Amino acid sequence: MAQSALTIDGLSVDFEGFKAVNGVTMTVDDGELRVLLGANGAGKTTLMDLISGKTKSTDGRVYLHDTDITNWEEHKIARAGIGRKFQIPSVFKELTVRRNLEVASCKKPGVFANLRFGFGTDAERNVDEVLELIGLTEEQDRIAAYLSHGQTQWLELGLLITQNPKIILLDEPTAGMTQAETHKTSEIVNNLKGRHTIIVVEHDMAFVREIAERITVLHLGQVLAEGNVEQIENNPKVREAYLGSKGIS
Amino acid sequence: MPMKRKIDWAIYAAFVVLVMLLPLVMDAFWLNRVAKYLVYGMLGVAVALSWGYAGILNLGQGLFFGAGAYMLAMSLKLASTTSLQQGSDKPVPDFMLWNAEPGAPTELCCINKASFLWLPFQSQWFGVAMGLILPVLLATILGTIVFRKRISGVFVSIITLALVLLVRLVVIDSQPVTNGFNGLTDLGWFNVAGLEFDPYIVPTYYLVAVSLSLVLVGTRLLIDTRSGLILQAVRDDQNRARYLGFDVPAYQTFFFAVSAAIAGFAGMLYVIVSEFASPTFMDLTFSITMVVWAAVGGRASILGACIGAILINTISATVSETEGFAEAWKAIIGLIFVLVVLYLPRGLAGLAHDFIDRLLARKPTASPQALPVSETSSQLAE
Ligand SMILES: Nc1ncnc2c1ncn2[C@@H]1O[C@H](COP(=O)(O)OP(=O)(O)OP(=O)(O)O)[C@@H](O)[C@H]1O
Ligand SMILES: [Mg+2]
């Protein structure tokens, strides 16, 4: 069996009595791509918040390989090797595309360690490669604020790729995208497969079919089912949970 | 180096050369005035760094300016030959003497309960060191608390604003050590190895001019570092920066403290050229005026904010000499500020940048007929 990259053990959070995530246990293998499915409000984003330190859990533990990272400060979790893309795309709006990636290429967290000029040829080459991968080479000198919605999403993906974390958390990377854009995004994500362990939240089933290996379905803060695309689509419990909400399509 | 960067540095160089050449054409009176405006220019740099680059609108920059000013003024007060108690080997500032309790020993150590605080200021260099250390210390403490708690935006502005008013009150209230409302006047001259910096001599002008040039170039280099870039990333999206692994409060606090150090430095220079320190340095209007300078000059440009400060003050001085126009000028400044905020968010520097961009864009087709008239006029109309 492959070594597990991320182990979540009985993770819960209690928002004044409301358990948005309730005893979630799951293991994600090294290099795996895991899709998180679930209706609106199922707790997918909250689960990512708990893993990345945005929200502090009230119970349970999170391990990155063998390190217990439960409730660490966000930037320390990030340094330990977990990168995250937000549901609302966020990039550094007043900087150029290239500058955005250069920020992400700084490996040291502290202010004094970064009191130096330039990024080094290796880092610049890496930035070039990432620009190529996310298809923004032509746009590299544009201010990020002027990018289209899709391009902004790709730039944020680019930030993550440059940061090069062990685990990448993607929260609805294709939200608001056209079909063509969605397809390009799945290409980017497929390209990352194997190099990183990836957890993706996604509603778009076409996208899920393009990328997914294993799927975990969340419902009301709990794990409802786990399996490959076929198993999940044919799972009666999943069908039932989805009926009356968005419907799995 | 890309063309734009080269032009940028060329403009910095031109500015420095211009400032250095002014003594050739100006008399002592005007030099002293301009020296003050250069000090204001340095404050513009401090505001641009914290507002434009760190995204921290400090409405209490006067606190750091005042701290720097008072620290050096204490030393220079003790160096004044006219204001000290005559005939004692341990001189005491005049105001302490006037307000001393009957029978109190006329010694700096103990003429009043807090006068001992002045003892180390008998060394001028202690005052100079404190003029930097105190602002940095205050900024670091304030920054650590505020930024670790993730307070941001208008709340930081309100806190800084409240703090400068608080300190101003404390300074006015501590009459026995600060001379309260009257501030510290009748100061001695700053003295380096026997050279006395009389405010009306050329070397004093150069002290300020060289200091400003160093601060300008130093700050510009600082924001060209990786940390400077990460700082701008933090300004744009704190959370994104945090989840890339950066220690966000450390960046904010560090640059906030650098900005404070620059303001403290400016405060010291101001004391040297104007020969007083006063609680008015910590008036709210003064701190807000600094923000106006930076906004007009361009808060996202170190040099722009600096020139904004110098320009506004030079115009103010010229205009307010015209009888009856002085009051109107204040209103005009207010109006300019509103117009800049509404229509020119990047200030004069933004205009200059656009102009350079256009020149660069036009370069490949540099022949005079290259642009049809209609296009030129539409560009002007933009
Ligand atoms: N800080 C909070 N305080 C209280 N309730 C919260 C908080 N954050 C999330 N919730 C609640 O937890 C539930 C799960 O929210 P979450 O955002 O994780 O859903 P989701 O699965 O990501 O949904 P969507 O598909 O709409 O993004 C929701 O009912 C939400 O209102
Ligand atoms: Mg969500």
Side-chain angles (χ1 to χ4, degrees), chain B residues 329-356:
Chain B
W329 173 245
K330 282 181 193 158
I332 293 171
I333 285 278
L335 191 66
I336 291 177
F337 179 63
V338 173
L339 289 178
V340 163
V341 168
L342 285 179
Y343 298 107
L344 212 62
R346 293 184 303 141
L348 296 176
L351 273 186
H353 271 280
D354 290 347
F355 182 68
I356 292 168

PDB file of all heavy atoms in Angstrom, chain B residues 329-356:
ATOM      1  N   TRP B 329      -6.037  79.456   0.595  1.00  0.00           N
ATOM      2  CA  TRP B 329      -5.115  78.385   0.220  1.00  0.00           C
ATOM      3  C   TRP B 329      -5.441  77.081   0.936  1.00  0.00           C
ATOM      4  O   TRP B 329      -5.409  76.006   0.349  1.00  0.00           O
ATOM      5  CB  TRP B 329      -3.681  78.825   0.484  1.00  0.00           C
ATOM      6  CG  TRP B 329      -2.699  77.718   0.272  1.00  0.00           C
ATOM      7  CD1 TRP B 329      -1.911  77.119   1.199  1.00  0.00           C
ATOM      8  CD2 TRP B 329      -2.398  77.064  -0.973  1.00  0.00           C
ATOM      9  NE1 TRP B 329      -1.155  76.138   0.640  1.00  0.00           N
ATOM     10  CE2 TRP B 329      -1.433  76.081  -0.702  1.00  0.00           C
ATOM     11  CE3 TRP B 329      -2.867  77.201  -2.274  1.00  0.00           C
ATOM     12  CZ2 TRP B 329      -0.915  75.242  -1.687  1.00  0.00           C
ATOM     13  CZ3 TRP B 329      -2.348  76.362  -3.251  1.00  0.00           C
ATOM     14  CH2 TRP B 329      -1.378  75.399  -2.960  1.00  0.00           C
ATOM     15  N   LYS B 330      -5.793  77.195   2.221  1.00  0.00           N
ATOM     16  CA  LYS B 330      -6.135  75.982   2.983  1.00  0.00           C
ATOM     17  C   LYS B 330      -7.305  75.262   2.326  1.00  0.00           C
ATOM     18  O   LYS B 330      -7.330  74.037   2.205  1.00  0.00           O
ATOM     19  CB  LYS B 330      -6.485  76.338   4.422  1.00  0.00           C
ATOM     20  CG  LYS B 330      -5.257  76.601   5.270  1.00  0.00           C
ATOM     21  CD  LYS B 330      -5.634  76.929   6.705  1.00  0.00           C
ATOM     22  CE  LYS B 330      -4.431  77.497   7.434  1.00  0.00           C
ATOM     23  NZ  LYS B 330      -4.825  78.280   8.605  1.00  0.00           N
ATOM     24  N   ALA B 331      -8.278  76.039   1.914  1.00  0.00           N
ATOM     25  CA  ALA B 331      -9.437  75.450   1.248  1.00  0.00           C
ATOM     26  C   ALA B 331      -9.024  74.810  -0.075  1.00  0.00           C
ATOM     27  O   ALA B 331      -9.493  73.722  -0.428  1.00  0.00           O
ATOM     28  CB  ALA B 331     -10.499  76.518   1.010  1.00  0.00           C
ATOM     29  N   ILE B 332      -8.118  75.506  -0.772  1.00  0.00           N
ATOM     30  CA  ILE B 332      -7.666  74.976  -2.067  1.00  0.00           C
ATOM     31  C   ILE B 332      -6.961  73.636  -1.885  1.00  0.00           C
ATOM     32  O   ILE B 332      -7.195  72.676  -2.612  1.00  0.00           O
ATOM     33  CB  ILE B 332      -6.745  75.990  -2.780  1.00  0.00           C
ATOM     34  CG1 ILE B 332      -7.557  77.236  -3.173  1.00  0.00           C
ATOM     35  CG2 ILE B 332      -6.100  75.373  -4.011  1.00  0.00           C
ATOM     36  CD1 ILE B 332      -6.725  78.374  -3.689  1.00  0.00           C
ATOM     37  N   ILE B 333      -6.105  73.561  -0.861  1.00  0.00           N
ATOM     38  CA  ILE B 333      -5.416  72.294  -0.570  1.00  0.00           C
ATOM     39  C   ILE B 333      -6.431  71.174  -0.339  1.00  0.00           C
ATOM     40  O   ILE B 333      -6.310  70.071  -0.871  1.00  0.00           O
ATOM     41  CB  ILE B 333      -4.513  72.441   0.690  1.00  0.00           C
ATOM     42  CG1 ILE B 333      -3.266  73.227   0.345  1.00  0.00           C
ATOM     43  CG2 ILE B 333      -4.152  71.098   1.258  1.00  0.00           C
ATOM     44  CD1 ILE B 333      -2.183  72.397  -0.307  1.00  0.00           C
ATOM     45  N   GLY B 334      -7.450  71.498   0.464  1.00  0.00           N
ATOM     46  CA  GLY B 334      -8.493  70.508   0.730  1.00  0.00           C
ATOM     47  C   GLY B 334      -9.155  70.055  -0.556  1.00  0.00           C
ATOM     48  O   GLY B 334      -9.364  68.862  -0.790  1.00  0.00           O
ATOM     49  N   LEU B 335      -9.434  71.030  -1.411  1.00  0.00           N
ATOM     50  CA  LEU B 335     -10.085  70.729  -2.687  1.00  0.00           C
ATOM     51  C   LEU B 335      -9.182  69.849  -3.561  1.00  0.00           C
ATOM     52  O   LEU B 335      -9.629  68.856  -4.142  1.00  0.00           O
ATOM     53  CB  LEU B 335     -10.401  72.039  -3.406  1.00  0.00           C
ATOM     54  CG  LEU B 335     -11.304  71.918  -4.626  1.00  0.00           C
ATOM     55  CD1 LEU B 335     -12.702  71.476  -4.215  1.00  0.00           C
ATOM     56  CD2 LEU B 335     -11.361  73.239  -5.392  1.00  0.00           C
ATOM     57  N   ILE B 336      -7.916  70.209  -3.623  1.00  0.00           N
ATOM     58  CA  ILE B 336      -6.968  69.414  -4.419  1.00  0.00           C
ATOM     59  C   ILE B 336      -6.968  67.967  -3.942  1.00  0.00           C
ATOM     60  O   ILE B 336      -7.010  67.025  -4.729  1.00  0.00           O
ATOM     61  CB  ILE B 336      -5.541  70.001  -4.322  1.00  0.00           C
ATOM     62  CG1 ILE B 336      -5.469  71.348  -5.043  1.00  0.00           C
ATOM     63  CG2 ILE B 336      -4.517  69.033  -4.928  1.00  0.00           C
ATOM     64  CD1 ILE B 336      -4.123  72.033  -4.930  1.00  0.00           C
ATOM     65  N   PHE B 337      -6.964  67.805  -2.605  1.00  0.00           N
ATOM     66  CA  PHE B 337      -6.947  66.459  -2.046  1.00  0.00           C
ATOM     67  C   PHE B 337      -8.162  65.658  -2.515  1.00  0.00           C
ATOM     68  O   PHE B 337      -8.036  64.534  -2.999  1.00  0.00           O
ATOM     69  CB  PHE B 337      -6.911  66.526  -0.518  1.00  0.00           C
ATOM     70  CG  PHE B 337      -6.923  65.184   0.139  1.00  0.00           C
ATOM     71  CD1 PHE B 337      -5.882  64.291  -0.055  1.00  0.00           C
ATOM     72  CD2 PHE B 337      -7.984  64.803   0.951  1.00  0.00           C
ATOM     73  CE1 PHE B 337      -5.885  63.043   0.545  1.00  0.00           C
ATOM     74  CE2 PHE B 337      -8.000  63.558   1.555  1.00  0.00           C
ATOM     75  CZ  PHE B 337      -6.954  62.685   1.356  1.00  0.00           C
ATOM     76  N   VAL B 338      -9.325  66.273  -2.393  1.00  0.00           N
ATOM     77  CA  VAL B 338     -10.549  65.574  -2.792  1.00  0.00           C
ATOM     78  C   VAL B 338     -10.487  65.210  -4.275  1.00  0.00           C
ATOM     79  O   VAL B 338     -10.796  64.082  -4.674  1.00  0.00           O
ATOM     80  CB  VAL B 338     -11.787  66.448  -2.506  1.00  0.00           C
ATOM     81  CG1 VAL B 338     -13.040  65.796  -3.085  1.00  0.00           C
ATOM     82  CG2 VAL B 338     -11.944  66.645  -1.008  1.00  0.00           C
ATOM     83  N   LEU B 339     -10.038  66.152  -5.089  1.00  0.00           N
ATOM     84  CA  LEU B 339      -9.965  65.897  -6.529  1.00  0.00           C
ATOM     85  C   LEU B 339      -8.983  64.769  -6.835  1.00  0.00           C
ATOM     86  O   LEU B 339      -9.263  63.897  -7.666  1.00  0.00           O
ATOM     87  CB  LEU B 339      -9.545  67.174  -7.273  1.00  0.00           C
ATOM     88  CG  LEU B 339     -10.617  68.270  -7.318  1.00  0.00           C
ATOM     89  CD1 LEU B 339     -10.092  69.509  -8.017  1.00  0.00           C
ATOM     90  CD2 LEU B 339     -11.881  67.763  -8.008  1.00  0.00           C
ATOM     91  N   VAL B 340      -7.845  64.790  -6.146  1.00  0.00           N
ATOM     92  CA  VAL B 340      -6.846  63.746  -6.391  1.00  0.00           C
ATOM     93  C   VAL B 340      -7.405  62.379  -6.012  1.00  0.00           C
ATOM     94  O   VAL B 340      -7.296  61.413  -6.764  1.00  0.00           O
ATOM     95  CB  VAL B 340      -5.545  64.042  -5.610  1.00  0.00           C
ATOM     96  CG1 VAL B 340      -4.688  62.795  -5.517  1.00  0.00           C
ATOM     97  CG2 VAL B 340      -4.777  65.155  -6.287  1.00  0.00           C
ATOM     98  N   VAL B 341      -8.034  62.319  -4.843  1.00  0.00           N
ATOM     99  CA  VAL B 341      -8.580  61.030  -4.401  1.00  0.00           C
ATOM    100  C   VAL B 341      -9.617  60.519  -5.400  1.00  0.00           C
ATOM    101  O   VAL B 341      -9.665  59.335  -5.730  1.00  0.00           O
ATOM    102  CB  VAL B 341      -9.189  61.162  -2.987  1.00  0.00           C
ATOM    103  CG1 VAL B 341     -10.019  59.937  -2.644  1.00  0.00           C
ATOM    104  CG2 VAL B 341      -8.085  61.346  -1.962  1.00  0.00           C
ATOM    105  N   LEU B 342     -10.419  61.446  -5.920  1.00  0.00           N
ATOM    106  CA  LEU B 342     -11.485  61.030  -6.831  1.00  0.00           C
ATOM    107  C   LEU B 342     -10.964  60.686  -8.223  1.00  0.00           C
ATOM    108  O   LEU B 342     -11.339  59.686  -8.813  1.00  0.00           O
ATOM    109  CB  LEU B 342     -12.531  62.138  -6.946  1.00  0.00           C
ATOM    110  CG  LEU B 342     -13.454  62.294  -5.740  1.00  0.00           C
ATOM    111  CD1 LEU B 342     -14.426  63.446  -5.973  1.00  0.00           C
ATOM    112  CD2 LEU B 342     -14.234  61.014  -5.485  1.00  0.00           C
ATOM    113  N   TYR B 343     -10.102  61.551  -8.752  1.00  0.00           N
ATOM    114  CA  TYR B 343      -9.764  61.415 -10.171  1.00  0.00           C
ATOM    115  C   TYR B 343      -8.327  60.984 -10.444  1.00  0.00           C
ATOM    116  O   TYR B 343      -7.972  60.666 -11.565  1.00  0.00           O
ATOM    117  CB  TYR B 343     -10.047  62.736 -10.897  1.00  0.00           C
ATOM    118  CG  TYR B 343     -11.495  63.108 -10.843  1.00  0.00           C
ATOM    119  CD1 TYR B 343     -11.935  64.150 -10.036  1.00  0.00           C
ATOM    120  CD2 TYR B 343     -12.430  62.378 -11.568  1.00  0.00           C
ATOM    121  CE1 TYR B 343     -13.275  64.473  -9.970  1.00  0.00           C
ATOM    122  CE2 TYR B 343     -13.771  62.693 -11.500  1.00  0.00           C
ATOM    123  CZ  TYR B 343     -14.198  63.736 -10.709  1.00  0.00           C
ATOM    124  OH  TYR B 343     -15.512  64.037 -10.635  1.00  0.00           O
ATOM    125  N   LEU B 344      -7.492  61.022  -9.416  1.00  0.00           N
ATOM    126  CA  LEU B 344      -6.084  60.740  -9.674  1.00  0.00           C
ATOM    127  C   LEU B 344      -5.537  59.879  -8.534  1.00  0.00           C
ATOM    128  O   LEU B 344      -4.627  60.286  -7.824  1.00  0.00           O
ATOM    129  CB  LEU B 344      -5.328  62.080  -9.731  1.00  0.00           C
ATOM    130  CG  LEU B 344      -4.109  62.196 -10.649  1.00  0.00           C
ATOM    131  CD1 LEU B 344      -4.499  61.978 -12.090  1.00  0.00           C
ATOM    132  CD2 LEU B 344      -3.462  63.547 -10.457  1.00  0.00           C
ATOM    133  N   PRO B 345      -6.098  58.670  -8.379  1.00  0.00           N
ATOM    134  CA  PRO B 345      -5.763  57.880  -7.189  1.00  0.00           C
ATOM    135  C   PRO B 345      -4.270  57.564  -7.068  1.00  0.00           C
ATOM    136  O   PRO B 345      -3.785  57.304  -5.979  1.00  0.00           O
ATOM    137  CB  PRO B 345      -6.590  56.607  -7.348  1.00  0.00           C
ATOM    138  CG  PRO B 345      -7.058  56.594  -8.753  1.00  0.00           C
ATOM    139  CD  PRO B 345      -7.087  58.009  -9.224  1.00  0.00           C
ATOM    140  N   ARG B 346      -3.542  57.612  -8.183  1.00  0.00           N
ATOM    141  CA  ARG B 346      -2.112  57.342  -8.083  1.00  0.00           C
ATOM    142  C   ARG B 346      -1.297  58.634  -8.041  1.00  0.00           C
ATOM    143  O   ARG B 346      -0.068  58.608  -8.140  1.00  0.00           O
ATOM    144  CB  ARG B 346      -1.656  56.458  -9.243  1.00  0.00           C
ATOM    145  CG  ARG B 346      -2.257  55.041  -9.159  1.00  0.00           C
ATOM    146  CD  ARG B 346      -1.724  54.153 -10.261  1.00  0.00           C
ATOM    147  NE  ARG B 346      -1.985  54.721 -11.571  1.00  0.00           N
ATOM    148  CZ  ARG B 346      -1.122  54.667 -12.583  1.00  0.00           C
ATOM    149  NH1 ARG B 346       0.053  54.081 -12.424  1.00  0.00           N
ATOM    150  NH2 ARG B 346      -1.417  55.186 -13.744  1.00  0.00           N
ATOM    151  N   GLY B 347      -1.995  59.757  -7.915  1.00  0.00           N
ATOM    152  CA  GLY B 347      -1.318  61.037  -7.714  1.00  0.00           C
ATOM    153  C   GLY B 347      -0.506  61.496  -8.912  1.00  0.00           C
ATOM    154  O   GLY B 347      -0.638  60.973 -10.017  1.00  0.00           O
ATOM    155  N   LEU B 348       0.333  62.498  -8.657  1.00  0.00           N
ATOM    156  CA  LEU B 348       1.159  63.045  -9.740  1.00  0.00           C
ATOM    157  C   LEU B 348       2.085  61.974 -10.317  1.00  0.00           C
ATOM    158  O   LEU B 348       2.320  61.920 -11.519  1.00  0.00           O
ATOM    159  CB  LEU B 348       1.989  64.219  -9.217  1.00  0.00           C
ATOM    160  CG  LEU B 348       1.184  65.431  -8.742  1.00  0.00           C
ATOM    161  CD1 LEU B 348       2.101  66.493  -8.157  1.00  0.00           C
ATOM    162  CD2 LEU B 348       0.371  66.008  -9.896  1.00  0.00           C
ATOM    163  N   ALA B 349       2.590  61.107  -9.437  1.00  0.00           N
ATOM    164  CA  ALA B 349       3.484  60.044  -9.916  1.00  0.00           C
ATOM    165  C   ALA B 349       2.769  59.146 -10.919  1.00  0.00           C
ATOM    166  O   ALA B 349       3.368  58.694 -11.891  1.00  0.00           O
ATOM    167  CB  ALA B 349       3.993  59.218  -8.747  1.00  0.00           C
ATOM    168  N   GLY B 350       1.471  58.916 -10.680  1.00  0.00           N
ATOM    169  CA  GLY B 350       0.694  58.109 -11.611  1.00  0.00           C
ATOM    170  C   GLY B 350       0.639  58.762 -12.982  1.00  0.00           C
ATOM    171  O   GLY B 350       0.823  58.105 -14.007  1.00  0.00           O
ATOM    172  N   LEU B 351       0.428  60.087 -12.979  1.00  0.00           N
ATOM    173  CA  LEU B 351       0.435  60.835 -14.240  1.00  0.00           C
ATOM    174  C   LEU B 351       1.764  60.657 -14.956  1.00  0.00           C
ATOM    175  O   LEU B 351       1.818  60.377 -16.150  1.00  0.00           O
ATOM    176  CB  LEU B 351       0.225  62.327 -13.964  1.00  0.00           C
ATOM    177  CG  LEU B 351      -1.198  62.857 -13.879  1.00  0.00           C
ATOM    178  CD1 LEU B 351      -1.172  64.367 -13.762  1.00  0.00           C
ATOM    179  CD2 LEU B 351      -1.984  62.431 -15.109  1.00  0.00           C
ATOM    180  N   ALA B 352       2.840  60.842 -14.193  1.00  0.00           N
ATOM    181  CA  ALA B 352       4.174  60.734 -14.779  1.00  0.00           C
ATOM    182  C   ALA B 352       4.399  59.343 -15.366  1.00  0.00           C
ATOM    183  O   ALA B 352       4.922  59.200 -16.472  1.00  0.00           O
ATOM    184  CB  ALA B 352       5.234  61.050 -13.727  1.00  0.00           C
ATOM    185  N   HIS B 353       3.961  58.317 -14.627  1.00  0.00           N
ATOM    186  CA  HIS B 353       4.149  56.947 -15.110  1.00  0.00           C
ATOM    187  C   HIS B 353       3.404  56.713 -16.421  1.00  0.00           C
ATOM    188  O   HIS B 353       3.937  56.126 -17.358  1.00  0.00           O
ATOM    189  CB  HIS B 353       3.677  55.941 -14.060  1.00  0.00           C
ATOM    190  CG  HIS B 353       4.752  55.563 -13.098  1.00  0.00           C
ATOM    191  ND1 HIS B 353       5.716  54.635 -13.397  1.00  0.00           N
ATOM    192  CD2 HIS B 353       5.038  56.008 -11.857  1.00  0.00           C
ATOM    193  CE1 HIS B 353       6.548  54.529 -12.378  1.00  0.00           C
ATOM    194  NE2 HIS B 353       6.155  55.356 -11.434  1.00  0.00           N
ATOM    195  N   ASP B 354       2.161  57.189 -16.468  1.00  0.00           N
ATOM    196  CA  ASP B 354       1.381  57.025 -17.695  1.00  0.00           C
ATOM    197  C   ASP B 354       2.078  57.709 -18.862  1.00  0.00           C
ATOM    198  O   ASP B 354       2.131  57.186 -19.974  1.00  0.00           O
ATOM    199  CB  ASP B 354      -0.020  57.625 -17.513  1.00  0.00           C
ATOM    200  CG  ASP B 354      -0.840  56.792 -16.546  1.00  0.00           C
ATOM    201  OD1 ASP B 354      -0.393  55.662 -16.240  1.00  0.00           O
ATOM    202  OD2 ASP B 354      -1.895  57.259 -16.095  1.00  0.00           O
ATOM    203  N   PHE B 355       2.615  58.889 -18.562  1.00  0.00           N
ATOM    204  CA  PHE B 355       3.293  59.658 -19.598  1.00  0.00           C
ATOM    205  C   PHE B 355       4.498  58.875 -20.136  1.00  0.00           C
ATOM    206  O   PHE B 355       4.688  58.734 -21.350  1.00  0.00           O
ATOM    207  CB  PHE B 355       3.736  61.002 -19.017  1.00  0.00           C
ATOM    208  CG  PHE B 355       4.399  61.894 -20.013  1.00  0.00           C
ATOM    209  CD1 PHE B 355       3.676  62.447 -21.063  1.00  0.00           C
ATOM    210  CD2 PHE B 355       5.758  62.173 -19.911  1.00  0.00           C
ATOM    211  CE1 PHE B 355       4.290  63.267 -21.986  1.00  0.00           C
ATOM    212  CE2 PHE B 355       6.378  62.990 -20.836  1.00  0.00           C
ATOM    213  CZ  PHE B 355       5.647  63.541 -21.871  1.00  0.00           C
ATOM    214  N   ILE B 356       5.291  58.313 -19.199  1.00  0.00           N
ATOM    215  CA  ILE B 356       6.467  57.532 -19.615  1.00  0.00           C
ATOM    216  C   ILE B 356       6.039  56.303 -20.417  1.00  0.00           C
ATOM    217  O   ILE B 356       6.621  55.978 -21.447  1.00  0.00           O
ATOM    218  CB  ILE B 356       7.290  57.115 -18.379  1.00  0.00           C
ATOM    219  CG1 ILE B 356       7.918  58.346 -17.731  1.00  0.00           C
ATOM    220  CG2 ILE B 356       8.361  56.101 -18.764  1.00  0.00           C
ATOM    221  CD1 ILE B 356       8.497  58.091 -16.369  1.00  0.00           C
TER     222      ILE B 356
END
